[in-house]
Amino acid sequence: MAHRPDNEPTALYRLYDANDTLLYLGISWNPDARMELHLIDKHWVHLVVRRTVEWYPDRPTALAAEAAATAVEKPLHDSSWRKSRVGDRPQWVNPEGQKRVENELAAEIEQGRHWLGKVLMSGAVAKRFNVSRPTASNAMDVLHERGLLERWHYGRFRVLKGPDKEDMEEFKEVREDRKLRRAYQIWTVAELREAMKDLPDDTLISARLSGRRAGLPEQRAAEQHDPEHAHAPDSL
């Protein structure tokens, strides 16, 4: 993320869990926006129950306050204060969240709730299941090994098991709706006035300006053979 000018007010924020353990601290000119990013890329963010914010007049002052607070308070998920002992570094894993994503996403695929070839993005899956992106990616890697997903591109996986997209009910409804929208008639202004005279004022109407009469192919064919058959519908 690009930095704002150094002379802008900058916040030092702290994130705590239910036991009041300091999980993380950082600085940002917009702590709310930074929290939105943490929801995507921090595996521990589901533990956060409290946040504090201290404002400083500029970024250099906030940076100095951050360094001092980090050295003294030692946030659990910030390894910058750990320099010597490798074993003290936090473990960047969330096994509970990963297992939840694995189980629920696998069940959805087995139940045919995702069409064959659908692309699932690890970032979207992470946000949906409230886990970090690495956690979601690890879970999707497991489903890849189980033959349910295929690695498609960086951060993207394709569904390998499920119905064709055209066979899913949600898309059937869309196609029928489009077919109906193509089946409307084109009227003259006089015909429209006559047809609309008894309609309530809040009636929704869709019309298209054209030099020819539209409609379903079989309807236009009938009108060509029998001009008397052509008439405006009773309502819109």
Side-chain angles (χ1 to χ4, degrees):
M1 178 181 293
H3 292 320
R4 306 278 292 191
D6 282 349
N7 61 354
E8 286 197 3
T10 304
L12 170 63
Y13 62 92
R14 294 173 173 84
L15 305 178
Y16 297 88
D17 66 9
N19 297 319
D20 217 32
T21 299
L22 178 62
L23 299 174
Y24 189 84
L25 65 80
I27 64 170
S28 175
W29 65 274
N30 187 341
D32 291 335
R34 182 60 59 85
M35 190 64 192
E36 289 294 326
L37 293 177
H38 290 336
L39 290 173
I40 296 174
D41 62 11
K42 302 301 184 186
H43 71 85
W44 44 260
V45 73
H46 63 288
L47 300 174
V48 177
V49 298
R50 184 169 71 90
R51 182 185 73 174
T52 64
V53 178
E54 298 176 11
W55 285 95
Y56 291 86
D58 51 49
R59 181 176 178 81
T61 306
L63 278 170
E66 178 189 29
T70 299
V72 173
E73 301 174 41
K74 297 180 172 53
L76 183 61
H77 293 292
D78 183 349
S79 61
S80 63
W81 57 273
R82 296 184 171 105
K83 299 298 184 181
S84 57
R85 295 176 56 190
V86 176
D88 285 340
R89 296 186 182 276
Q91 298 298 309
W92 301 100
V93 294
N94 179 7
E96 296 83 5
Q98 178 176 328
K99 183 59 67 175
R100 177 163 52 86
V101 175
E102 288 176 24
N103 293 340
E104 295 187 24
L105 195 54
E108 292 175 0
I109 295 174
E110 295 287 357
Q111 294 166 9
R113 294 172 58 185
H114 300 281
W115 66 84
L116 183 65
K118 180 179 181 180
V119 176
L120 301 178
M121 296 184 291
S122 59
V125 171
K127 189 170 185 178
R128 178 184 163 203
F129 287 96
N130 194 26
V131 297
S132 70
R133 185 175 294 178
T135 296
S137 293
N138 289 343
M140 297 169 85
D141 281 334
V142 172
L143 299 188
H144 163 74
E145 295 172 359
R146 292 171 53 181
L148 297 177
L149 293 176
E150 172 190 23
R151 293 191 188 94
W152 183 243
H153 191 57
Y154 178 78
R156 293 172 171 83
F157 294 77
R158 269 202 325 180
V159 176
L160 294 180
K161 182 178 180 180
D164 291 335
K165 182 176 180 179
E166 292 74 14
D167 293 334
M168 298 188 71
E169 290 299 324
E170 57 182 303
F171 293 101
K172 285 183 179 179
E173 295 174 3
V174 171
R175 289 200 304 275
E176 289 299 319
D177 183 54
R178 288 174 179 171
K179 181 178 179 181
L180 290 174
R181 287 203 300 268
R182 290 196 297 267
Y184 59 79
Q185 283 270 18
I186 298 298
W187 298 342
T188 65
V189 173
E191 289 171 331
L192 281 171
R193 289 197 184 104
E194 179 64 23
M196 293 190 298
K197 65 180 181 180
D198 296 324
L199 295 178
D201 291 341
D202 59 352
T203 301
L204 299 177
I205 297 172
S206 175
R208 181 180 66 183
L209 298 178
S210 176
R212 63 180 179 83
R213 184 181 292 275
L216 290 174
E218 58 268 23
Q219 183 179 21
R220 293 198 298 269
E223 291 175 358
Q224 291 174 359
H225 288 87
D226 183 10
E228 296 298 326
H229 178 73
H231 65 278
D234 294 331
S235 62
L236 290 176

